[in-house]
Every structure is written in C-alpha cells, then in structure tokens.
Amino acid sequence: YTSGSIISSAPHSGNGEWEFIGMSALYSKTAPYFYFSITGDVQLTAPTLTFGQTPATPGASLMSSSGARMSGTFTLGGAIGYPPSAEDSSPYFWVLPKNEGNVFMMDMLGDPVRHIHRLNHSGADRFPKGTVITLVFEESGTRVKHSAYIKLKNNQDFVSVTQSSLTLITKGSATWYEVSRNN
C-alpha cells in the first residue's frame, strides 16, 4: 500500500439486491480516506469500518462521531405529490409516492386551499426510519396541520406561501417531525 493510491474493491453484481462493497487496505494516518466510484443509481447506507478480516454486519451501528465525507453532486430524487382523490376516505390523508424521491413538488391541481393532516398513514406506504422529505409548494394557501402525526415546531401549523417548503423526518412510524420550514 502506498499512501494516496486507490485500492479497488469487488464490483456490485447488479442483481438488484443489497450487497456489501468494500476494500481491504493498510491504514495510513496521512490518507485515511476510502474511495468508491459509484456510477449508477444506488441506495447508500452509512459506511462501516471494521478492522482485520471481520466482515461488516448488517444492522450494526453504522456511523460514529467520526462521520464521513462525500464529494461530487449528491442528488435527491424528485417526485410529484398529488392530493388524495375524491374516492379516498379522507381529503386530509395524503400518500406520497414512496421510493420515488425525497423532494416532492406538491401539485394542488389548481386548488391550493387544501389541508394535510397525515402523510403515508398506511403501514405499507410508510417511509423507512430516518427518511427526510421536503414538500415544495408553488402556490400559497395549503395548510399542513400540527397533529399527533405531523409534529411541527412550536405546535404551529405550516401555511404555504408562493415557493415555500417544509422539511420533515420520520422515525419509521406514522409520525413525521419538522426539521425546517421556508415560508
């Protein structure tokens, strides 16, 4: 091992399943960074660092306070969030398309005076723990209601203004927590 050299790893098989990609190398205090060149659409988890020949264990504590660094463009998927259809049981229970993105352009179908009380309430539609989403509103008047299922800062509803946004995180349950707002 020469400090600054790139050590390659085995490629992902492309089978569509989760796989570990990794490398073995001597540790250098002058260049303690690992490099993976990822050229396709993938889902990433936090890196795991193990010593010796111990394999990484799924479900292990994945990140420490040492953190990680990414370079290059990190793009979040974008999708459109539509209001519930007239056939749905409640006009206040919205279902965002899971696995299509993290940033949702909220399309109010010409009627921005709507209310959002719950997001993805059904267990099958819930996002994984730690998912961060951003709702982007082009029009003013949509109210996101503070409730047991959408916990907003200071218990205050969010009311959209033109080109505003609300960012939320889930713990994997039916409840979302506000991270930030721009209104």
Side-chain angles (χ1 to χ4, degrees):
Y1 173 76
T2 305
S3 180
S5 67
I6 295 176
I7 301 166
S8 64
S9 69
H12 189 285
S13 68
N15 66 5
E17 299 294 323
W18 281 99
E19 291 183 25
F20 286 107
I21 57 172
M23 64 177 71
S24 296
L26 297 175
Y27 177 78
S28 169
K29 289 184 179 180
T30 61
Y33 301 108
F34 299 96
Y35 174 82
F36 295 98
S37 178
I38 300 173
T39 58
D41 291 337
V42 297
Q43 293 179 335
L44 297 175
T45 59
T48 300
L49 183 61
T50 60
F51 296 96
Q53 296 301 316
T54 304
T57 305
S61 177
L62 295 177
M63 285 210 41
S64 69
S65 60
S66 62
R69 181 172 73 176
M70 293 182 71
S71 63
T73 303
F74 183 64
T75 304
L76 296 174
I80 299 174
Y82 292 103
S85 68
E87 295 82 35
D88 288 331
S89 62
S90 173
Y92 309 120
F93 290 15
W94 291 53
V95 178
L96 299 174
K98 188 172 85 172
N99 300 326
E100 289 188 27
N102 291 79
V103 178
F104 296 94
M105 303 302 293
M106 303 303 286
D107 187 340
M108 298 297 131
L109 304 176
D111 181 14
V113 183
R114 297 180 184 266
H115 291 219
I116 301 172
H117 293 196
R118 289 187 76 172
L119 292 170
N120 295 49
H121 61 283
S122 169
D125 295 322
R126 291 187 187 148
F127 285 74
K129 178 180 178 179
T131 300
V132 176
I133 62 169
T134 299
L135 311 178
V136 179
F137 301 88
E138 291 292 325
E139 301 174 282
S140 61
T142 303
R143 178 178 299 274
V144 180
K145 182 92 172 125
H146 169 78
S147 68
Y149 300 103
I150 301 177
K151 303 283 190 174
L152 299 175
K153 289 183 180 176
N154 299 320
N155 303 333
Q156 296 296 309
D157 291 355
F158 171 92
V159 180
S160 70
V161 297
T162 303
Q163 297 181 345
S164 58
S165 63
L166 176 65
T167 301
L168 305 165
I169 189 169
T170 181
K171 294 179 182 178
S173 67
T175 303
W176 291 87
Y177 299 85
E178 180 177 352
V179 174
S180 65
R181 64 174 68 194
N182 172 16
N183 66 343

